[in-house]
Amino acid sequence: MTRLRPIHNRVALLLAAMTVAAALALPFLGFAPNRLLSGKAIALGAVPGAGWSGAALLPVALLLAVPFLRPGRAVNALYVGAGVLAAAGLVWLAGQHAALLAAVASPAARTSFGAGFWVMEAAALLAVLDGVRRLGLGPAGRVAVGVLAAALIGGQFAAGHLDQLSIMREYANQRDVFAGAVLRHAALVAAALPPTLLIGVPLGIAAQRSAAVGRLVFPVLNVVQTIPSIALFGLLLAPLSALAAAFPGLGIGGVGPVPAVIALTLYSLLPIARNTAAGLAGVPEPVREAARGIGMTPRQIFWRVEAPLALPVFLAGLRITLVQAVGLAAVAALIGAGGLGAIMFQGLFANALDLVLLGAVPVILLAVAADAALKLASALALSRLGRTAA
Amino acid sequence: MRRLRSLLTDRLALGLLVLAALVLGMPALKPLFAAAFPALDRPLYEADGFLALTLDHLALAGGASLIAVLLGGAAGIAVTRPFGREFRGILDAVAAMGQTFPPVAVLAVSVPVLGFGPAPALIALTLYGLLPIVENTVAGLESVPEPVREAARGMGMGPGALLWRVELPLAAPVILAGVRTAAVVNLGTAAIASTVGAKTLGLPIIVGLNGSNPAYVIQGAVIVAALAVVLDAGFDRLAARLTRWRPNAV
């Protein structure tokens, strides 16, 4: 006796629907005669050739089956595994087809990811996210799954399997520029950090100790935070060019990395000062009293009691600051600060879409990496606190 | 407290006044810019009217924020109901992760997928605006204490009345904070959308930066900054209004 199976996982069902719709209605790849012309669409149905190519879609088919399987550890593990393999398989298939096309097309021709690829890739990665949650993996397990997915996709880049895809062709053309841009981008973010900490941390401490200072400082920093970056760069242009005209030897100007670092610092002050103050305000008064009671000096209380207890909240502020600065540094390319934003905007102005991706995707990866690193640091700081307390 | 409120009122009214004066009166400042930048042939951006640019800018940023409120609010409500609870975890994860993506990079990445022009920019801004709104709608609705819900049920309220008359009003300040984040980000990203083919107040800034015309840059930048200040003051007012009924409201 057969009975219609009910749906066991509606998130997976939604992702499966996304995948099927994208596979049928959206182009998997685009094929253009050169880097500036827009390409003709290649549907997924036209991609898998003979032999093993079609096997790359097997995990995608597995993902489509997951919503109908009775849930359990095995099914959820299959869900995660199929998601990781589907994400890697879609990339592999795109690289494979690009190589096939490149073998017969003119050297200037470009094969790029289509909207269908992006939707299916996103669905596969969301399936991993959902599966990991359903499996109830701890932090170590999550990191392991993330590393595995990154290795399977990154390995294809490293092995040269994706060299014929347009973004990698663009990378090959811009190899030297790209490395310099990544370094410059990181340098901009890093250069804003010392002035941010030197000004922001004392401001936060002062604001926590005196309400009057807080009432003065935070509204100003709040307004700065509201002003869009591109407008702040513009507003700094006038005073800084005037300064440069008055003191030509100083090496500053309205455009270039210096105003970018100044603007980045202005934006970074709020999260740092606010979280420094919040972290210190979160230290319980009895703890301070106990420290005073055992004869600690104010300096000792600050460094040995207040600072360690406020550290996790402070690190959360630093995380917001860094993630924000990675994005702002990209906008700073408009005032000639260089970095990955320069590649991105150059692509936008010249209608070279591969160049846009070559600039924008690493910006996103940098922001995600900064976020993950600081989250890890916060977790470590918290666990150290817990150990000391225990 | 009354003085404080009148001060808030003033900040909004003052900001609106300055904004209107800048948008409408920029051409009158031409001699000033000519005197400040004597080397420039064209000290005033005249390719488009500042009023038209401002309206287009507001249409893009405001439209995206509005769509994001409707979609994000609906999604936030859905995942806090019994039928949508299954989607709660994945939505949280996407909202948290997506907000680490820099908005300018999201805007740029949308171009290869969606193309140039105002419509793709609107889609990109809407998607980005969804994230803080969804996050705060869920947080706001979850913050409603269970005893309050039980009392409302005890009074005979159905799920619909409970949502509209109890949960949403109590969650409103938190939801509004999310809308504010989305609106502020959209206002700034709409300026950068001039680089992807949408005509906004970013256009004079970009044209000025590319053509070494600081006067254009300043003209675009002061209007964008004034808009941001007005937006901030407006949300302050709205937030004060939403929490007015609380006994300890300031």
Side-chain angles (χ1 to χ4, degrees):
Chain A
M1 196 179 84
T2 55
R3 209 162 33 131
L4 203 64
R5 278 177 185 280
I7 305 299
H8 290 295
N9 180 341
R10 288 185 297 154
V11 177
L13 184 71
L14 180 73
L15 296 176
M18 251 169 82
T19 305
V20 170
L24 295 179
L26 294 171
F28 186 68
L29 296 171
F31 181 70
N34 66 49
R35 72 194 274 263
L36 296 181
L37 291 178
S38 56
K40 80 175 192 332
I42 301 175
L44 181 63
V47 170
W52 285 98
S53 289
L57 287 176
L58 201 67
V60 178
L62 273 180
L63 273 187
L64 299 185
V66 165
F68 309 101
L69 301 176
R70 202 171 291 280
R73 273 197 81 78
V75 167
N76 284 335
L78 173 85
Y79 190 25
V80 174
V84 170
L85 289 177
L90 287 166
V91 173
W92 186 86
L93 196 61
Q96 185 73 8
H97 200 66
L100 272 177
L101 286 173
V104 291
S106 84
R110 295 283 182 113
T111 310
S112 54
F113 294 122
F117 167 83
W118 291 116
V119 173
M120 290 166 75
E121 184 73 12
L125 293 173
L126 287 174
V128 175
L129 217 60
D130 187 44
V132 161
R133 218 175 41 79
R134 282 170 197 265
L135 259 182
L137 285 184
R142 281 165 197 242
V143 169
V145 170
V147 168
L148 179 67
L152 284 178
I153 295 172
Q156 299 183 50
F157 277 100
H161 178 70
L162 309 177
D163 282 354
Q164 295 307 324
L165 276 165
S166 58
I167 186 169
M168 291 310 285
R169 295 273 296 277
E170 199 68 50
Y171 169 70
N173 286 348
Q174 312 270 347
R175 195 179 294 257
D176 301 334
V177 181
F178 182 81
V182 173
L183 284 180
R184 169 57 81 88
H185 206 96
L188 283 175
V189 174
L193 209 53
T196 300
L197 293 176
L198 284 176
I199 304 170
V201 172
L203 269 184
I205 296 173
Q208 194 262 326
R209 297 202 169 157
S210 145
V213 175
R215 271 199 302 274
L216 194 73
V217 167
F218 286 124
V220 175
L221 293 184
N222 261 318
V223 169
V224 172
Q225 197 76 25
T226 335
I227 294 176
S229 50
I230 191 173
L232 189 64
F233 289 136
L235 293 176
L236 284 175
L237 192 67
L240 287 177
S241 0
L243 208 62
F247 306 98
L250 232 51
I252 48 169
V255 294
V258 174
V261 170
I262 294 176
L264 250 59
T265 304
L266 286 174
Y267 281 117
S268 304
L269 285 178
L270 179 69
I272 288 289
R274 189 184 52 201
N275 281 44
T276 303
L280 291 174
V283 177
E285 199 48 44
V287 172
R288 281 202 191 89
E289 264 161 37
R292 245 175 262 132
I294 62 170
M296 280 189 175
T297 63
R299 182 184 292 260
Q300 282 174 323
I301 294 177
F302 180 79
W303 285 109
R304 294 173 56 185
V305 177
E306 290 183 304
L309 285 174
L311 190 63
V313 180
F314 169 79
L315 285 176
L318 191 62
R319 177 171 60 84
I320 297 168
T321 297
L322 282 179
V323 170
Q324 181 179 264
V326 169
L328 292 170
V331 181
L334 288 173
I335 55 164
L340 287 163
I343 296 181
M344 188 177 88
F345 285 118
Q346 193 194 335
L348 285 175
F349 292 138
N351 197 11
L353 300 182
D354 302 325
L355 208 52
V356 175
L357 284 182
L358 190 65
V361 172
V363 169
I364 294 179
L365 293 179
L366 266 183
V368 171
D371 184 67
L374 265 294
K375 268 192 183 137
L376 198 67
S378 294
L380 284 178
L382 261 181
S383 76
R384 265 188 60 182
L385 271 185
R387 256 209 316 279
T388 335
Chain B
M1 190 177 129
R2 203 150 147 201
R3 269 203 10 229
L4 190 76
R5 186 168 299 156
S6 75
L7 203 77
L8 283 175
T9 315
D10 279 351
R11 193 156 79 89
L12 181 58
L14 213 72
L16 277 171
L17 212 66
V18 170
L19 178 65
L22 282 173
V23 170
L24 300 174
M26 197 62 87
L29 296 178
K30 190 173 180 178
L32 186 72
F33 284 107
F37 302 99
L40 294 178
D41 291 338
R42 299 164 189 275
L44 182 72
Y45 184 79
E46 286 169 314
D48 308 271
F50 282 103
L51 182 61
L53 288 177
T54 307
L55 291 178
D56 283 353
H57 195 112
L58 286 176
L60 178 57
S65 303
L66 205 66
I67 302 172
V69 168
L70 294 177
L71 294 179
I77 291 171
V79 299
T80 49
R81 306 299 105 184
F83 65 86
R85 206 161 286 278
E86 200 179 348
F87 291 86
R88 163 79 200 275
I90 190 97
L91 200 70
D92 279 351
V94 170
M97 180 143 196
Q99 286 183 80
T100 63
F101 293 9
V104 59
V106 172
L107 185 74
V109 164
S110 75
V111 171
V113 183
L114 302 167
F116 280 93
L122 184 76
I123 296 177
L125 262 63
T126 303
L127 286 179
Y128 201 86
L130 277 173
L131 306 172
I133 293 174
V134 165
E135 192 171 49
N136 281 40
T137 305
V138 172
L141 290 172
E142 300 258 295
S143 73
V144 176
E146 197 50 43
V148 172
R149 280 203 196 90
E150 265 160 36
R153 275 189 216 107
M155 285 168 59
M157 281 192 188
L162 181 66
L163 176 66
W164 284 106
R165 293 175 50 194
V166 177
E167 293 185 284
L168 281 178
L170 284 174
V174 180
I175 298 176
L176 186 74
V179 177
R180 183 182 193 150
T181 307
V184 167
V185 170
N186 278 347
L187 190 77
T189 314
I192 302 170
S194 290
T195 60
V196 304
K199 269 197 178 184
T200 65
L201 286 168
L203 202 56
I205 304 180
I206 309 277
V207 171
L209 285 171
N210 283 342
S212 303
N213 188 328
Y216 286 6
V217 177
I218 292 167
Q219 286 151 20
V222 288
I223 298 184
V224 173
L227 262 182
V229 171
V230 167
L231 189 75
D232 194 54
F235 271 105
D236 267 348
R237 273 285 280 291
L238 218 56
R241 201 166 266 225
L242 277 181
T243 49
R244 203 169 34 181
W245 52 271
R246 292 195 175 174
N248 55 353
V250 191

